[in-house]
Amino acid sequence: MAEIVLGIGTSHSPLLAIEPALWAERAKDDYRKQELYLADGRVVSYAELAEEIGDRYAGRAVPENFEKQALQAQQALDRLAAAIAGAELDALVVIGDDQEELFSRAHMPAIAVYNGPEIVTHPKNEVSPNLPGWYQEANKGYKMDAVHRHPVAVDLADGVIEGLIEAGVDVAVASEVTDPHQAGFGHAYGFVIDRLCGDRPIPILPVMLNTYFPPNVPRPGRCYDVGQVIGRTLAALPGGQRVGVVASGGLTHFAVDEDLDRRLLAALESGDVDALRALPPSGLRSGNSEILNWIMTAGAVDGLTVTDSEYIPVQRTPAGTGIGLAFLVWRPAPSAPGSSL
């Protein structure tokens, strides 16, 4: 039987793929935002947020703090990469969200699994050569600077699709990328491959969750339930593969909400499923919605224990816009089989 031996949660912010000297350049976009989705359900402009918050975070939104936070984040990513390397995985399930990279508003499935022979990334730098410098640099870390290819765990993908259908989850299926310049895999998958997989081409099983685009965004409870089906299905598949599961994205952005982020992490660390289910969908919109990837992953790795957790609230403007960077590792409990990780 296949065995889930590792769970990972990781942010995939551009801040993680660019030098801290460029964080202030990224912040310039925040000042122009007219729609910032808050965890309390409100939508405000940056000017409105600044009027409410004032310059509360001005002392944090400075280059010397960015340097410290960047180092902290990269050290956390190093630990995640080491966990993946040490687990000697045969396949890595990546649960991420597609932001009109492979899919478009013409067809946006709530949940999809990719079972083609390889993922092919969308070369955004080639398609949009006039992107700001920080954006082009980030796309290198997303494997979106050019067309990149990576193997898919096809047999596992087919097994998961069948298991989901048997369990009553009418999952969508994608099987090929016909023209990556028009549509291809994006940052949620490229970041994990580039930063966490290292030189070893671990086959990926891409699960694509629509978190960003209403109305067909799955609710937190549904995400957890589907994650459990994925976990049970993988555990029942023949072959003895060692499998890891990664949640890619989050936490709150573009207006950082430390309370929501810390409540989520506390629930994940304690295994409080009721708290995960109770998260209000009205607060999980825009960037905050990527929290759903973590909830689905928690369902898939049910039975594993959080052994490493890091949280870095990055307020890159005085009004507190930025991102809650988070990094998490689930491993088997000490008494469980495979606990030598």
Side-chain angles (χ1 to χ4, degrees):
M1 299 295 181
E3 181 184 9
I4 297 177
V5 298
L6 184 70
I8 295 288
T10 182
S11 298
H12 58 221
S13 168
L15 302 185
L16 300 174
I18 61 178
E19 294 298 318
L22 293 175
W23 285 20
E25 291 298 311
R26 172 67 186 91
K28 289 180 180 179
D29 274 4
D30 294 354
Y31 293 105
R32 294 190 289 266
K33 286 191 180 295
Q34 296 301 307
E35 293 185 344
L36 290 166
Y37 290 78
L38 307 185
D40 62 11
R42 291 181 296 146
V43 183
V44 299
S45 67
Y46 181 84
E48 291 169 331
L49 183 66
E51 184 176 356
E52 178 180 334
I53 300 296
D55 61 354
R56 183 184 306 171
Y57 300 103
R60 298 188 189 183
V62 293
E64 54 266 33
N65 193 44
F66 294 161
E67 291 279 352
K68 294 177 182 177
Q69 291 180 315
L71 177 61
Q72 187 180 357
Q74 293 303 321
Q75 289 174 338
L77 286 168
D78 287 343
R79 292 196 298 274
L80 300 190
I84 290 174
E88 298 181 344
L89 301 175
D90 298 301
L92 192 62
V93 179
V94 180
I95 299 176
D97 54 301
D98 185 84
Q99 294 179 29
E100 295 186 302
E101 293 148 336
L102 182 62
F103 297 122
S104 73
R105 299 298 181 93
H107 175 64
M108 185 65 67
I111 303 169
V113 174
Y114 186 84
N115 68 342
E118 59 184 5
I119 72 168
V120 186
T121 60
H122 174 59
K124 198 163 189 175
N125 282 0
E126 295 179 3
V127 174
S128 303
N130 296 321
L131 291 171
W134 69 264
Y135 203 158
Q136 293 190 43
E137 190 64 24
N139 282 334
K140 294 178 183 177
Y142 290 155
K143 289 193 172 294
M144 296 179 69
D145 56 326
V147 174
H148 295 273
R149 300 174 185 273
H150 191 88
V152 169
V154 177
D155 290 344
L156 288 182
D158 288 340
V160 166
I161 291 166
E162 184 173 352
L164 288 169
I165 294 295
E166 286 291 332
V169 181
D170 296 325
V171 64
V173 175
S175 300
E176 63 179 332
V177 175
T178 55
D179 180 358
H181 286 81
Q182 294 296 320
F185 276 82
H187 62 300
Y189 307 90
F191 179 79
V192 171
I193 293 168
D194 184 78
R195 185 61 178 85
L196 299 185
C197 289
D199 296 329
R200 185 171 173 230
I202 305 170
I204 298 293
L205 195 173
V207 177
M208 290 158 281
L209 179 61
N210 175 30
T211 73
Y212 255 83
F213 304 106
N216 63 328
V217 174
R219 299 299 187 256
R222 180 60 168 169
C223 291
Y224 189 86
D225 291 342
V226 173
Q228 285 201 304
V229 174
I230 292 172
R232 289 196 301 267
T233 299
L234 286 168
L237 293 176
Q241 298 99 323
R242 294 173 60 85
V243 180
V245 185
V246 176
S248 179
L251 295 180
T252 58
H253 61 293
F254 297 90
V256 181
D257 191 296
E258 291 189 50
D259 177 67
L260 175 55
D261 289 342
R262 293 186 188 279
R263 281 191 288 125
L264 171 74
L265 291 171
L268 294 171
E269 290 171 25
S270 65
D272 189 345
V273 178
D274 289 339
L276 297 177
R277 292 182 182 278
L279 291 176
S282 62
L284 302 179
R285 297 183 294 170
S286 184
N288 296 1
S289 70
E290 291 179 338
I291 285 172
L292 294 172
N293 298 332
W294 291 61
I295 295 174
M296 182 173 284
T297 297
V301 302
D302 182 25
L304 301 189
T305 301
V306 173
T307 62
D308 189 349
S309 179
E310 185 90 30
Y311 178 64
I312 310 167
V314 177
Q315 287 94 358
R316 57 188 178 226
T317 65
T321 58
I323 182 167
L325 297 176
F327 313 93
L328 203 71
V329 179
W330 288 268
R331 291 185 174 93
S335 60
S339 61
S340 60
L341 291 177

